Amino acid sequence: MTSRGAVLTRSPVSDGGQSRLPRVLLVVASGGYATGAALGWGSQQLAMIMGDFGLSFAALLAAVSCFLHARTRGVRFRPAWILFAVSSAMASCGNAVWGWYEVVLGVKVPSPSLADVFFLCFAPPAIVGLLVLAKRPVTRAGWVCLALDSWLIGGSLLTLSWSLALAHTAHTQGETVTEAALSLAYPLLDIVLVSMVLALHFRRSNASRPAINTAIAALALTVLCDALFTSPLLRESYRSGQLLDAGWFAGSLLLAYAPWGVRRMEAGAAQSRGPRPPGHPAFSRPITGSLAALTPYLAAAVCTLGILYNVTEGRRVDRVVLITGCTVVLALVVRQGIMLLDNIALTHELAQKENHFRSLVQGSSDVIMIAAPTGVLRYVSPAAAGVYGRDADELIGSELASLIHPEDLGRVVHEVRRFLAARQSDEPTTRIECRFRSGTGHWLNVESTVNRHEGGLIFNSRDVTERVRLQAQLQHNAEHDPLTDLPNRALFTERVRQALGGRRAGDAGTAVLFIDLDGFKAVNDRLGHQAGDELLIQAARRLQESVRAGDTAARLGGDEFAALILGHGARDLAAHQRQVQEIADRLRQTLSQPYRVDGNEVRVAASIGVAFAEPGITAGDLLRHADLAMYRAKAAGKDRVELYVPQMQTDTGRRGEHPGRARRSRHDGESVLLHQPVVSLDTGRITAVAAQPRWRSAQGILFTPAEFLRLSEDGGGSPAEPGRRLLEEAVEQAAERSRLGHDVPVILRLSARRLLDRSIPLGSIEASLTRHGLPSGALVLEIADSDPRISFDELEQRLLTLRRLGARIALDGFGSGYAAINALRRLPLDVLKLDRGLVEGVVESARLHKITAGLLRIACDLGMESVADGVDEPEQVLALRAMGCTHGQGAAFSGPLDEYRLRRALVRGEYPVPGPDVPGAWPVLSGGCLPAGSAAPTGSDLIGRQPTRSNNETPVPPT
């Protein structure tokens, strides 16, 4: 953990040889010009040419460079670079006119001349350009302070320069007014330019910092040469081509380099990322701020020196010096007053924000920790006492590595390093989950959101131990039978699939045993379902104790069990198969022993079918073979073991009767569409109707919706035909009810397999909604099953398309645990429908009550509506409502209704809801999604499977 600090340090980005070449050329050109000027250029004529036209060429180069940069697409501060180009162009024209007089005409430059006009026009565009580049004040007080700072600097320089030279220049005899004004204009403009440069140097924008630095250097060098030129001693002896011209030449070249050098610097800065090392320029901001604060006092000190110079020289204090000094002092006083008021306001605002953020941090239920690069905690919020059971002061100064579980430490360090290596713009935060040591010595599951911080990291942590436990419990419930706690059909099928693949692929010694309890229905009828459940629990315990270590025992539903016997690659396959037969026979004898249930001795027998793996066989085929062998054992007299052989015949009579009936019904019109109201458990109001297609036989028997789906899919012909007809009829009736004023959504139940087979094209659904004028949201498509072999990716895309068409998506059988736990996270669902098996036992079984409460909590946290299917008793209504269930359908309100009775119910609008005085009901709680004390589930949950069969004896198929 302490090695993380090395990640914070990064080497500077190299700009390569291409960025160094212009700098080298700049130094060579400036050095060559200075050398030539120092040596006199070899002749007076060449010195004048280089001193006049050489400077004109350098200034023209700067003008062209700034102008071309301003024309570049996407350039920032375009007006500033245009102004710098104009300023350099004025200097170029001034030097060209000067050279015209000296070199071409060979005469002395008159004073004043056109060259003076151009030179005077050099400073104003440069001053305005600096104003454009600088960071602009955002308040009136800021603008006032900027003007005062400029005057403080300019006034102090004016006082000093007037005392040293300008007073002598202003009082020189023999000069005309124009010549005197011209003599004073140069230094005064330079003083203004220097004032703006110094005042704006400490206010420059971060975005243009390289540009301003380079421009300041170029202008400062130019102004320095101007100041030397205006000195009476140097001006009288000045000749073109002297060393002073080298300063102007270098200033022009530096200004020409400024825009392109800026682009390379900004590109290099864009490539760099991550925390800045101590040597980074950003760490020089405190020094810059200190110099900016000292600027007024330095200016006042310079002004004072100018006055003291006059006094010490015995001169009479000049009126200009006196007036300027007084205005500088007044400006200093005004500026300090403005800053004092501004500081008071900022201090008050800062105190308010600090109190606000302190309240947020200290009142947060999450623990906020700041860790140094070495992993040492520098700050821990007070919430640590409630979350970790440890005081914040106790944690401060300790290493974070010592608090993380050793098994999680490597993963945490790897994630932190990966996070720090990523760009902050690409990944501003990351999330880490690990175990954290509490004050009691226990390990808590902690989820932390990690953010970058200057010199470290910020951890926003919360305790998710209960969520992890509930998620593990829900995962277990999804894969295990709630009554016997044995693996359910989904987990058993997955175990069989694993046994047939991997290292055991092709092992013919692997076998599956299908077990059915003979006579179990009589136990249910004679002693009741409670006694039947107790018998199943004892049978499951015997089965679990009888199989070998590494084998799997499971309950498939009702009175059906299964066992997976793994092979060991034995060469003597026949001996191993005999051993499996002996295991099956011993298991039959064990399960046939008497059971003690509620003081009664109960006897049941066991019919067992055995199927061995074959090369290339799938898990589904192997399970089907064992199922057929079990049915053969029941048909042959029960209480026996049968091995699967290929000659076994399936029950063609039972499977062949339903498709024939389906085909006849489709042509003879025996199908009917009923609707069952879906009722709000709080108000009793009808909020939707569930379409339930039924098959009516010749004897008038109505088959259930599940049978309808199976018959319609297995009935031959086009599987899409009944689906389209059912959709069309349901939408047509819903539209007719809507025209009559009954605006309630209709729920249409479809199988996931049919959706993926494109049995009902998306266009037909949209066309049906449009044709009948059914509004968006008035159709709810309910997924009837979720086969684990179905691709969730394809199902997710299909459902998303349906949602875009205006349909809502519901999931039937939620909580039966047939599908993977991550399906709830992936599928776009609006409504979760509780499995009927959970609703039936929610009152009698405390275990089912807890499971149902957790599932409803998940639906509430995800913002989904919940519908309980099979609500037949008032006690179930009260219990489900107390746990947060929003809607229900079942005999407690109404059974399936034909269209006439449905419209009468919709006119009434609601059903009476049972009150809390129902005997034996769970207490009704107000508010929230779960009763107090219930754990709040988070994360993903289960998707339901088809309803488990009731605990009735498996029927013997006809032969």
Side-chain angles (χ1 to χ4, degrees):
M1 203 67 181
T2 56
S3 63
R4 292 186 307 163
V7 184
L8 299 179
T9 304
R10 291 177 172 84
S11 59
V13 180
S14 175
D15 55 0
Q18 292 183 353
S19 63
R20 289 193 295 267
L21 180 60
R23 303 177 191 175
V24 173
L25 294 177
L26 176 64
V27 173
V28 171
S30 300
Y33 192 99
T35 303
L39 299 178
W41 297 104
S43 68
Q44 183 64 28
Q45 185 69 16
L46 180 59
M48 286 191 298
I49 293 175
M50 295 302 298
D52 295 334
F53 293 109
L55 293 182
S56 178
F57 172 78
L60 179 62
L61 181 63
V64 173
S65 175
C66 294
F67 180 75
L68 292 179
H69 176 69
R71 294 290 301 275
T72 306
R73 178 180 298 179
V75 67
R76 304 188 64 180
F77 307 110
R78 189 187 309 274
W81 296 110
I82 294 178
L83 289 170
F84 287 151
V86 173
S87 177
S88 298
M90 293 297 102
S92 176
C93 293
N95 284 294
V97 172
W98 197 284
W100 174 263
Y101 282 107
E102 281 192 339
V103 178
V104 178
L105 301 180
V107 298
K108 185 179 179 179
V109 181
S111 181
S113 66
L114 186 60
D116 294 318
V117 176
F118 285 121
F119 286 142
L120 289 176
C121 292
F122 164 79
I127 294 172
V128 179
L130 285 175
L131 285 173
V132 174
L133 274 178
K135 184 178 181 181
R136 302 177 183 178
V138 295
T139 62
R140 293 182 179 178
W143 283 105
V144 173
C145 288
L146 176 60
L148 292 175
D149 288 343
S150 301
W151 172 245
L152 284 170
I153 298 173
S156 61
L157 294 178
L158 178 60
T159 302
L160 185 60
S161 59
W162 189 275
S163 301
L164 296 177
L166 295 184
H168 174 74
T169 303
H171 296 89
T172 301
Q173 301 296 328
E175 288 187 350
T176 64
V177 177
T178 304
E179 291 176 342
L182 188 60
S183 300
L184 294 175
Y186 283 112
L188 291 178
L189 285 176
D190 287 339
I191 289 175
V192 174
L193 185 57
V194 171
S195 302
M196 298 306 300
V197 166
L198 292 178
L200 297 177
H201 176 68
F202 303 110
R203 295 173 175 267
R204 60 188 183 276
S205 172
N206 293 335
S208 60
R209 187 180 301 272
I212 297 180
N213 286 338
T214 309
I216 283 176
L219 294 176
L221 183 57
T222 304
V223 169
L224 177 62
C225 296
D226 287 345
L228 295 175
F229 175 76
T230 56
S231 174
L233 298 177
L234 288 179
R235 188 168 186 178
E236 293 177 359
S237 60
Y238 170 77
R239 296 292 183 273
S240 295
Q242 291 182 346
L243 195 58
L244 184 61
D245 291 346
W248 281 316
F249 184 83
S252 297
L253 291 185
L254 187 60
L255 186 59
Y257 166 77
W260 310 105
V262 165
R263 294 186 65 181
R264 283 187 292 273
M265 293 177 187
E266 291 179 349
Q271 293 176 3
S272 62
R273 64 179 186 269
R276 294 165 177 167
H280 195 276
F283 287 87
S284 63
R285 293 179 186 175
I287 300 177
T288 304
S290 301
L291 293 177
L294 292 176
T295 301
Y297 304 101
L298 295 175
V302 172
C303 184
T304 304
L305 289 177
I307 298 176
L308 290 177
Y309 175 79
N310 284 273
V311 175
T312 55
E313 291 293 327
R315 301 178 183 176
R316 184 175 59 86
V317 178
D318 193 278
R319 182 179 302 175
V320 175
V321 175
L322 183 60
I323 295 175
T324 305
C326 292
T327 55
V328 168
V329 173
L330 179 61
L332 179 61
V333 172
V334 174
R335 187 187 186 282
Q336 291 304 109
I338 294 175
M339 295 303 298
L340 179 61
L341 295 176
D342 195 23
N343 289 338
I344 293 175
L346 289 177
T347 302
H348 181 67
E349 182 181 358
L350 180 61
Q352 287 183 336
K353 290 185 178 179
E354 185 178 356
N355 292 332
H356 174 69
F357 285 110
R358 182 183 292 109
S359 300
L360 290 178
V361 172
Q362 294 182 352
S364 174
S365 59
D366 293 352
V367 180
I368 300 175
M369 301 182 297
I370 299 179
T374 58
V376 177
L377 295 177
R378 298 189 303 186
Y379 172 79
V380 180
S381 65
V387 177
Y388 299 149
R390 307 177 67 171
D391 292 336
D393 295 337
E394 178 186 349
L395 293 175
I396 295 176
S398 59
E399 286 195 6
L400 192 59
S402 62
L403 305 174
I404 299 177
H405 196 283
E407 296 179 0
D408 301 338
L409 182 59
R411 176 172 52 84
V412 172
V413 174
H414 174 75
E415 175 62 19
V416 168
R417 289 177 176 171
R418 185 204 62 77
F419 171 64
L420 292 176
R423 291 179 179 270
Q424 185 171 1
S425 57
D426 297 338
E427 190 174 5
T429 63
T430 187
R431 183 162 298 189
I432 296 176
E433 187 169 334
C434 63
R435 286 167 287 181
F436 198 89
R437 187 189 301 276
S438 66
T440 59
H442 296 90
W443 293 105
L444 302 175
N445 292 92
V446 176
E447 183 184 66
S448 301
T449 302
V450 185
N451 295 272
R452 295 175 178 87
H453 179 63
E454 287 293 341
L457 295 170
I458 298 179
F459 292 82
N460 195 337
S461 306
R462 62 204 63 88
D463 182 12
V464 294
T465 303
E466 290 301 323
R467 188 196 73 181
V468 173
R469 289 177 181 173
L470 180 60
Q471 187 172 355
Q473 178 185 351
L474 293 177
Q475 179 70 39
H476 179 83
N477 294 340
E479 298 176 342
H480 291 76
D481 176 60
L483 180 64
T484 63
D485 205 37
L486 289 180
N488 59 14
R489 182 183 295 271
L491 181 57
F492 184 77
T493 304
E494 181 61 27
R495 296 264 179 96
V496 174
R497 187 178 296 110
Q498 294 175 0
L500 296 178
R503 295 183 296 106
R504 295 188 176 92
D507 187 357
T510 299
V512 170
L513 281 61
F514 255 56
I515 306 162
D516 184 83
L517 300 182
D518 303 320
F520 178 74
K521 183 178 183 300
V523 176
N524 272 342
D525 295 340
R526 182 164 54 91
L527 300 179
H529 286 274
Q530 190 71 27
D533 290 347
E534 178 61 28
L535 189 148
L536 291 176
I537 294 174
Q538 295 183 27
R541 188 181 304 116
R542 293 184 186 183
L543 176 61
Q544 184 69 40
E545 295 172 353
S546 299
V547 297
R548 305 171 305 177
D551 296 338
T552 300
R555 183 193 177 205
L556 305 183
D559 61 341
E560 289 186 346
F561 295 86
L564 172 63
I565 309 299
L566 298 178
H568 300 288
R571 295 183 178 180
D572 192 353
L573 183 59
H576 179 72
Q577 292 180 348
R578 287 193 300 270
Q579 181 183 4
V580 172
Q581 285 184 272
E582 293 173 358
I583 294 175
D585 194 63
R586 287 198 305 269
L587 184 57
R588 180 190 61 80
Q589 296 177 10
T590 301
L591 295 176
S592 300
Q593 295 295 324
Y595 295 85
R596 197 71 182 178
V597 179
D598 293 338
N600 300 314
E601 185 176 281
V602 179
R603 288 182 178 270
V604 294
S607 297
I608 302 178
V610 182
F612 289 94
E614 302 172 357
I617 194 172
T618 64
D621 291 340
L622 183 58
L623 294 175
R624 189 159 43 251
H625 292 172
D627 193 17
L628 292 176
M630 183 270 292
Y631 277 112
R632 175 54 62 91
K634 293 178 69 69
K638 304 181 181 180
D639 192 17
R640 58 186 296 144
V641 177
E642 285 286 344
L643 298 180
Y644 170 79
V645 292
Q647 291 77 19
M648 286 184 174
Q649 300 297 321
T650 59
D651 179 15
T652 55
R654 183 183 61 173
R655 297 182 183 272
E657 179 184 358
H658 290 171
R661 182 185 298 124
R663 286 190 295 268
R664 290 193 304 272
S665 300
R666 191 157 54 240
H667 294 292
D668 299 340
E670 294 182 4
S671 62
V672 294
L673 185 64
L674 305 181
H675 292 83
Q676 187 173 26
V678 178
V679 179
S680 170
L681 297 184
D682 289 332
T683 63
R685 185 173 58 88
I686 301 175
T687 59
V689 292
Q692 295 185 356
R694 300 296 174 91
W695 292 102
R696 176 176 286 132
S697 66
Q699 293 78 20
I701 300 175
L702 290 176
F703 292 90
T704 64
E707 293 172 326
F708 168 80
L709 287 178
R710 186 175 67 253
L711 294 178
S712 63
E713 292 178 358
D714 297 338
S718 172
E721 180 182 348
R724 293 195 191 99
R725 186 175 55 81
L726 172 62
L727 171 65
E728 185 71 21
E729 184 177 355
V731 172
E732 181 180 2
Q733 293 183 8
E736 179 64 25
R737 289 192 296 270
S738 178
R739 285 190 289 271
L740 295 176
H742 306 307
D743 295 325
V744 291
V746 60
I747 303 174
L748 184 61
R749 193 168 184 259
L750 296 174
S751 67
R753 183 167 66 89
R754 172 165 294 172
L755 286 175
L756 294 184
D757 288 343
R758 300 298 191 270
S759 302
I760 302 179
L762 302 180
S764 65
I765 296 179
E766 183 180 21
S768 180
L769 296 176
T770 304
R771 181 166 56 254
H772 296 289
L774 203 61
S776 177
L779 176 63
V780 181
L781 296 178
E782 181 179 288
I783 304 176
D785 60 10
S786 51
D787 193 330
R789 295 169 295 182
I790 290 177
S791 170
F792 279 118
D793 294 332
E794 190 176 357
L795 182 59
E796 178 184 11
Q797 294 300 322
R798 182 70 186 236
L799 295 180
L800 287 174
T801 306
L802 290 172
R803 290 187 73 181
R804 287 193 291 268
L805 296 178
R808 302 176 67 201
I809 308 300
L811 178 65
D812 183 35
F814 180 58
S816 59
Y818 189 74
I821 192 172
N822 65 345
L824 180 62
R825 173 179 59 86
R826 298 183 55 185
L827 296 182
L829 302 173
D830 303 295
V831 182
L832 295 179
K833 193 170 186 179
L834 284 179
D835 182 67
R836 177 182 291 268
L838 293 176
V839 177
E840 289 176 351
V842 72
V843 177
E844 296 84 1
S845 174
R847 183 183 182 90
L848 290 180
H849 182 273
K850 292 181 179 180
I851 294 174
T852 306
L855 297 176
L856 289 173
R857 181 69 183 190
I858 291 176
C860 178
D861 290 344
L862 295 178
M864 299 182 184
E865 296 180 357
S866 53
V867 179
D869 188 17
V871 183
D872 299 332
E873 303 294 337
E875 294 85 353
Q876 296 173 347
V877 175
L878 295 175
L880 291 168
R881 184 172 60 190
M883 288 184 285
C885 186
T886 58
H887 300 81
Q889 81 181 72
F893 306 105
S894 172
L897 305 175
D898 57 22
E899 188 64 21
Y900 173 75
R901 291 182 175 84
L902 176 62
R903 293 184 182 181
R904 290 183 57 186
L906 292 177
V907 171
R908 187 169 61 251
E910 61 182 24
Y911 289 94
V913 179
D917 55 347
V918 177
W922 292 84
V924 179
L925 305 178
S926 60
C929 297
L930 289 176
S934 298
T938 58
S940 302
D941 200 352
L942 322 174
I943 289 182
R945 55 170 178 161
Q946 290 200 17
T948 305
R949 288 181 295 191
S950 60
N951 295 340
N952 291 324
E953 181 181 1
T954 303
V956 180
T959 58

